[in-house]
Amino acid sequence: MLFWNREAREARQFITETLDDIVSILDECTAALNDLRFRAGTVLRPRLAQGDIQKVETVIQQAGENLSACRKTLPLLQEFVRSGRLSHEGFRSVKPLLLHEDEDSRQVSFDTAPQAARWLAERALEFARYVKETQIPWLEEALNYVRESASSSDELVEEANSARQEALQHLRELQSRHPQLRFSFSEELAEEMERLWNQLQDALKRRVYSEIQDIAGRVKQTAEAVVASAEEALAFYRDPNEKLMEGRAFLDRLEQEYRRAELELPDVFFESRRALENAASEAESPEPNWDEAMRLYNTASGLAQEAAALLEEGH
């Protein structure tokens, strides 16, 4: 009897000290979870992909269930502190809610009410802390990531569309001012840019932000290439000798840099030189096909840039 009294006294003391922590954590987590539920359901849901919605909703539901299980222990623990008695029926109804995934309910049994009550308090505190320290932070991080990614993606999409519109407008203006010319290389890039733009619209519908950011960057990069290649082709048309000399000088310097680095010249280097010489042959012919000559010059320039990038990478 003396042992039981000491066990009961120690259990009641532990539970008394623990109850305040449990209630405080439950109140804090309930408010945080309600806020997160609101943000996920009304503010960020339009920006969440379906898979992300399911993940967030699952964690919100699990956190809510954990808090509910902890709250169900409170009247049982409070009654034990007051009277030293623990409702057997109440314990049996709450115990399954506080088991770990790998625990068998039949293996969780106690010889005395103080032992069972202490286990309830320990598990309620553990589950409440899990919500506070693991599930709430995960939800905060997930929703913050969505918000930041969506905001960043919005800016990137806006920049990509602006660059796209400017590139298309620039190409139209050049074609209008020079109806005798075709900027076929730039036109092909513009077609690729539009294909990427369509892919971006699909990614926006699916709200896959990593994909949105990647494709938006490629749209902008291609738009810049449309403008640069068109201007480059026009400059070649106006003064082919000057541009051919610049191109040959660039390739000569690039070859020397490869030699100094003791690296083998890549295939794209030789392809660039061939394309440049073919552009020269076409431009110097009695009746040059300027569309073809300009296209070859653009091709040579693009390949030379590839070769230069490979050198920077150490290839």
Side-chain angles (χ1 to χ4, degrees):
M1 180 63 70
L2 289 176
F3 171 78
W4 189 92
N5 287 338
R6 186 177 73 250
E7 182 184 49
R9 185 170 59 252
E10 291 174 351
R12 291 168 78 174
Q13 181 179 350
F14 171 79
I15 293 168
T16 300
E17 295 170 352
T18 303
L19 269 173
D20 287 342
D21 289 340
I22 296 173
V23 171
S24 175
I25 295 173
L26 288 179
D27 289 344
E28 178 185 346
C29 288
T30 298
L33 192 61
N34 287 338
D35 176 65
L36 288 164
R37 186 180 287 113
F38 172 79
R39 287 162 54 194
T42 61
V43 180
L44 292 178
R45 188 180 183 89
R47 295 180 176 273
L48 284 165
Q50 187 59 40
D52 293 330
I53 290 173
Q54 292 173 351
K55 290 178 185 176
V56 168
E57 288 181 344
T58 297
V59 176
I60 287 176
Q61 179 181 349
Q62 291 172 345
E65 290 172 352
N66 286 337
L67 294 179
S68 175
C70 294
R71 285 203 179 278
K72 289 179 180 179
T73 68
L74 297 181
L76 298 175
L77 295 174
Q78 290 163 348
E79 176 61 29
F80 180 81
V81 169
R82 283 194 300 269
S83 66
R85 293 191 296 271
L86 179 67
S87 166
H88 181 66
E89 182 179 344
F91 177 78
R92 288 184 59 187
S93 67
V94 173
K95 183 179 77 169
L97 305 178
L98 296 174
L99 294 173
H100 296 153
E101 289 184 1
D102 57 350
E103 278 185 317
D104 185 340
S105 179
R106 292 169 297 183
Q107 296 177 348
V108 179
S109 59
F110 305 95
D111 296 329
T112 65
Q115 292 175 2
R118 189 183 186 102
W119 180 87
L120 273 185
E122 289 172 346
R123 283 298 171 92
L125 184 60
E126 177 190 340
F127 274 55
R129 283 175 173 168
Y130 178 73
V131 174
K132 178 181 178 180
E133 297 170 6
T134 301
Q135 291 181 311
I136 295 292
W138 185 93
L139 288 165
E140 287 281 4
E141 184 177 352
L143 295 183
N144 286 339
Y145 171 77
V146 170
R147 186 184 64 248
E148 291 168 4
S149 296
S151 177
S152 174
S153 296
D154 288 346
E155 293 175 6
L156 290 174
V157 170
E158 185 176 346
E159 290 175 6
N161 191 35
S162 177
R164 166 179 167 265
Q165 295 290 353
E166 290 174 8
L168 293 173
Q169 180 64 23
H170 189 77
L171 192 56
R172 283 193 294 267
E173 289 174 357
L174 284 181
Q175 291 167 334
S176 176
R177 291 200 301 267
H178 305 280
Q180 77 280 20
L181 300 178
R182 276 204 61 204
F183 299 86
S184 58
F185 188 90
S186 303
E187 290 169 1
E188 290 174 4
L189 283 175
E191 290 174 0
E192 172 62 19
M193 179 180 67
E194 292 300 272
R195 283 194 290 272
L196 288 169
W197 181 252
N198 290 334
Q199 291 177 22
L200 181 57
Q201 301 313 299
D202 179 64
L204 285 167
K205 291 176 183 176
R206 292 184 285 110
R207 299 190 283 274
V208 183
Y209 293 110
S210 59
E211 189 175 340
I212 290 169
Q213 293 170 8
D214 175 61
I215 300 175
R218 290 162 61 194
V219 169
K220 185 178 179 181
Q221 185 179 35
T222 307
E224 292 168 352
V226 169
V227 174
S229 63
E231 289 295 337
E232 185 179 64
L234 183 59
F236 174 74
Y237 170 74
R238 287 171 171 165
D239 193 345
N241 291 331
E242 177 69 18
K243 301 309 290 183
L244 287 167
M245 184 172 65
E246 290 177 4
R248 288 165 177 152
F250 178 84
L251 289 173
D252 288 343
R253 289 194 303 273
L254 188 60
E255 183 174 6
Q256 291 172 8
E257 291 174 11
Y258 265 95
R259 302 297 183 202
R260 281 195 295 269
E262 299 182 347
L263 292 171
E264 184 178 350
L265 287 164
D267 291 341
V268 289
F269 175 87
F270 299 105
E271 292 171 9
S272 174
R273 196 179 285 283
R274 281 195 298 271
L276 186 65
E277 295 310 318
N278 288 337
S281 297
E282 187 61 47
E284 294 165 359
S285 66
E287 295 183 4
N289 179 340
W290 284 109
D291 178 35
E292 179 63 11
M294 290 158 61
R295 186 190 65 78
L296 286 167
Y297 183 77
N298 282 141
T299 300
S301 176
L303 292 169
Q305 290 173 27
E306 276 189 57
L310 289 173
L311 177 63
E312 289 185 6
E313 295 170 5
H315 296 294

